[in-house]
Amino acid sequence: MRSDTIKKGLQRAPHRSLLRACGITEEEMKKPFIGVANSFTDIVPGHIHLNQIAEAVKLGISQAGGVPFEFSTMAICDGIAMNHEGMRYSLASREIVADTVESMAQAHQFDALVLIPTCDKIVPGMLMAAARLDIPSIVVTGGPMLPGIFKDEPVDLINVYEAVGAVNAGKMTEEELRELEKCACPGAGSCAGLFTANTMACLTEAMGMSLPGCASSHAVSGKKIQIARSSGRQILKLLEKNLTPSQIMTQEAFENAVMVDLALGGSTNTTLHLPAIAYELEDKGVKVNLDLFEEYNKKIPHIASISPSGKHTMLDLEQAGGIPAVLKVLEKELNDEVLTCTAQSLKDNIKDASVLDSEIIKPLDNPVHKEGGLAILKGNLAPDGAVVKQGAIDSDMLVHEGPARVYESEEECVNAINQGEIKEGDVIIIRYEGPKGGPGMREMLNPTSAISGMGIKSVALITDGRFSGGTRGPCVGHVSPEAAAEGPLAAVEDGDIIKIDIPLRKLDIKVTPEEIDERIKKAVKPDRHVKGWLARYRKLATSADKGAILK
């Protein structure tokens, strides 16, 4: 066992002395040491219940003959960090989560890991660490939040953001907003739609790193506790078989995850996180890039219309059969012989799965859309690619051409929207918000929500930043290379004609190559002074098309 390094032999008497101080008995010294990475915090709804899940995990570990050791990682709530300086830390925190788990596992020589994340960056951060360490690991995602109910309709956090725009446009009263605010987020869990946190949970299950049913089992459900306890027991079986993440998260498993992502119409942020996790397995021959998403986008239809793409919630997905049912629908397209954390194949895991509501999870021959939910655009404005959630766009905006309205930051843009400067037909450009330019690649939920809430229909938004998983409409993000890396976005001027053609996968500015080059040379980057670890992040971060990993 790896843990023998810290507990076996004459030279480890000092180490054992410290372990005894933690209450470890003579008998427990002989058992496997299992790390339990818990991202509990009091200020993130997706994480406020994780101590209960951790206790269930630890009980399962003890029942199966292991010794659990719980440790914590950081967790940032994107919703609370949104639209201020705090959002610069969100994506960047993914690397700290990975580094924390790696550090604790290596320093204390855990034999295996149970990972307990919920929200946007914590799930991929922990998966990155699991891939990097390659010791037996299993993930228990914390589960979705129940939807709120407002005027007899299900609501979630995105409804509140959009309602702010509605109030500014005089379409909703402040009193109504106040009532919505009180009920939209009823308790523990990740926000009720298919935003980034829930998308990543679904993909974790699709890759085989969490037990079947984990992703959509809700935070407040007994089922979640049962899965947590079962996961604690299962990690000892994985350790016995020495079944590690590199044997589960293979190239074929990542391809399965991409297919599920496209079928669900998940968050655009997956095009950052899946490549980042895959990078940790590069020496195993794993590679995930934007081209892989586009390859499968033509083959896999969009089969579930979950908020923000439609009216359904994660609760609807759970009641329709969850990810096992989605996998069952896609079975003929999937690599179903891959191993999973059950120590069985994906095919074995879903042999008894079925769709319980075909209005929620549609069949392949009657999908929501014939293509997958995400699209990768390229052109002279995004030579290395850009991402859009095409499953959440009205058909009349799939092709759009209009004059650019250029802003150097999210704050500038939000102020312009609130002041009524944006007109129908405009193409909003928000630049210098990429991994280096931001730094930190902030999410642009406030401007997109303001536009939607105010009822402005024929407006597109393009940024080298990113979007919340809750964003809907013609919002093109992750433009690469970013403006701060002298990408073409730095050359755009007010009034330039921008054309977005999603069916043809094109994103172009009607300016000559020579003029673009000349403008980039003259471009003046915003002077954003940052200190602390964000300054280090800015120096090391790669572009969005590379997953914004650090090199």
Side-chain angles (χ1 to χ4, degrees):
M1 292 188 292
R2 248 172 63 107
S3 59
D4 286 346
T5 305
I6 64 168
K7 66 187 182 184
K8 193 172 184 179
L10 177 66
Q11 299 300 321
R12 294 300 180 251
H15 304 66
R16 291 193 297 274
S17 182
L18 291 168
L19 291 167
R20 293 181 197 280
C22 297
I24 301 304
T25 66
E26 195 70 40
E27 183 63 26
E28 287 173 328
M29 292 287 186
K30 303 171 186 176
K31 297 179 178 181
F33 282 9
I34 311 298
V36 178
N38 180 6
S39 50
F40 164 81
T41 172
D42 281 329
I43 197 170
V44 182
H47 296 245
I48 57 175
H49 64 305
L50 294 188
N51 280 347
Q52 185 182 8
I53 291 177
E55 288 303 314
V57 165
K58 290 192 289 183
L59 178 59
I61 292 170
S62 298
Q63 289 173 336
V67 183
F69 291 90
E70 184 179 346
F71 63 92
S72 61
T73 66
M74 68 186 298
I76 288 176
C77 176
D78 281 16
I80 295 173
M82 197 72 66
N83 197 35
H84 59 82
E85 288 301 302
M87 180 48 75
R88 301 193 193 283
Y89 290 83
S90 175
L91 177 60
S93 74
R94 183 187 69 184
E95 319 306 313
I96 293 182
V97 170
D99 293 349
T100 299
V101 175
E102 176 195 5
S103 299
M104 291 296 289
Q106 294 289 59
H108 303 103
Q109 290 293 287
F110 294 131
D111 296 301
L113 289 170
V114 181
L115 307 169
I116 310 176
T118 303
C119 290
D120 302 38
K121 312 310 166 305
I122 302 88
V123 177
M126 287 194 179
L127 285 170
M128 289 165 67
R132 191 182 299 171
L133 291 160
D134 204 26
I135 61 175
S137 303
I138 195 169
V139 182
V140 184
T141 48
M145 182 187 294
L146 290 172
I149 300 295
F150 180 69
K151 296 184 177 179
D152 298 323
E153 293 290 332
V155 290
D156 54 44
L157 178 68
I158 303 307
N159 296 101
V160 185
Y161 270 100
E162 293 181 352
V164 174
V167 170
N168 287 332
K171 297 183 177 184
M172 188 179 199
T173 67
E174 289 191 38
E175 290 75 17
E176 288 175 312
L177 173 59
R178 180 75 170 171
E179 290 306 308
L180 174 60
E181 170 194 330
K182 290 178 180 179
C183 69
C185 299
S190 45
C191 298
L194 191 66
F195 314 144
T196 306
N198 288 325
T199 303
M200 285 307 304
C202 292
L203 303 194
T204 302
E205 184 178 330
M207 278 195 290
M209 284 297 292
S210 57
L211 291 179
C214 184
S216 61
S217 60
H218 276 52
V220 296
S221 68
K223 180 180 176 182
K224 179 61 70 179
I225 299 301
Q226 293 164 18
I227 288 174
R229 197 172 299 173
S230 296
S231 298
R233 291 194 294 268
Q234 185 64 20
I235 193 62
L236 273 298
K237 295 179 182 177
L238 297 180
L239 178 60
E240 181 183 353
K241 295 176 181 292
N242 194 30
L243 183 52
T244 66
S246 67
Q247 296 168 267
I248 296 172
M249 291 193 288
T250 60
Q251 179 70 30
E252 292 78 14
F254 275 97
E255 290 173 9
N256 287 344
V258 169
M259 284 187 261
V260 169
D261 190 14
L262 296 168
L264 291 173
S267 167
T268 52
N269 283 313
T270 59
T271 64
L272 290 171
H273 299 323
L274 288 182
I277 300 163
Y279 176 74
E280 303 291 345
L281 295 161
E282 192 175 42
D283 62 337
K284 305 291 185 182
V286 177
K287 184 176 182 181
V288 176
N289 55 25
L290 296 183
D291 291 338
L292 185 66
F293 282 85
E294 188 54 36
E295 176 188 341
Y296 280 106
N297 192 59
K298 300 290 188 181
K299 302 175 183 177
I300 304 298
H302 179 203
I303 62 172
S305 188
I306 303 169
S307 174
S309 298
K311 64 179 182 179
H312 300 135
T313 69
M314 286 298 294
L315 184 60
D316 295 314
L317 180 63
E318 165 71 354
Q319 293 172 344
I323 296 306
V326 173
L327 292 168
K328 193 68 175 179
V329 172
L330 298 174
E331 187 171 15
K332 290 183 179 179
E333 304 295 333
L334 297 172
N335 307 295
D336 63 1
E337 296 297 335
V338 294
L339 272 176
T340 71
C341 68
T342 64
Q344 296 181 308
S345 70
L346 179 64
K347 185 176 184 178
D348 290 331
N349 289 353
I350 63 173
K351 64 182 179 182
D352 297 323
S354 62
V355 175
L356 304 179
D357 188 336
S358 59
E359 286 301 308
I360 308 298
I361 303 172
K362 291 183 174 292
L364 292 179
D365 59 2
N366 184 32
V368 180
H369 299 105
K370 291 181 179 179
E371 291 187 345
L374 301 179
I376 308 302
L377 312 184
K378 292 187 178 182
N380 67 355
L381 199 54
D384 294 336
V387 185
V388 63
K389 186 186 285 192
Q390 67 172 349
I393 302 176
D394 291 339
S395 59
D396 59 353
M397 284 297 290
L398 291 173
V399 178
H400 180 75
E401 185 173 314
R405 297 288 177 260
V406 183
Y407 302 96
E408 309 295 322
S409 70
E410 178 190 10
E411 288 84 355
E412 280 187 24
C413 177
V414 171
N415 185 60
I417 293 169
N418 291 335
Q419 295 298 319
E421 295 179 16
I422 304 302
K423 309 300 181 187
E424 297 283 355
D426 286 348
V427 178
I428 299 170
I429 304 290
I430 306 178
R431 62 190 178 192
Y432 296 105
E433 288 284 8
K436 288 183 180 293
M441 202 178 181
R442 293 192 291 176
E443 288 184 344
M444 305 288 123
L445 180 57
N446 264 48
T448 60
S449 296
I451 291 167
S452 180
M454 294 173 76
I456 306 172
K457 298 295 184 184
S458 58
V459 169
L461 195 157
I462 299 171
T463 181
D464 51 8
R466 58 196 179 91
F467 294 111
S468 160
T471 295
R472 64 180 120 222
C475 301
V476 181
H478 306 201
V479 172
S480 299
E482 61 177 295
E486 300 184 344
L489 209 62
V492 184
E493 296 179 354
D494 278 332
D496 286 340
I497 301 301
I498 308 292
K499 183 169 184 180
I500 303 168
D501 191 325
I502 294 172
L504 292 181
R505 305 295 194 259
K506 298 291 289 180
L507 180 62
D508 290 306
I509 177 174
K510 294 193 172 181
V511 175
T512 65
E514 295 77 16
E515 179 67 14
I516 290 174
D517 291 342
E518 191 62 32
R519 289 185 188 180
I520 290 173
K521 291 176 185 176
K522 296 177 181 177
V524 179
K525 298 177 183 178
D527 183 16
R528 290 184 183 141
H529 175 70
V530 292
K531 56 184 180 180
W533 65 265
L534 264 187
R536 297 196 299 273
Y537 179 86
R538 180 162 59 185
K539 290 179 181 178
L540 298 173
T542 60
S543 66
D545 66 298
K546 301 292 192 300
I549 58 172
L550 302 186
K551 281 192 175 181

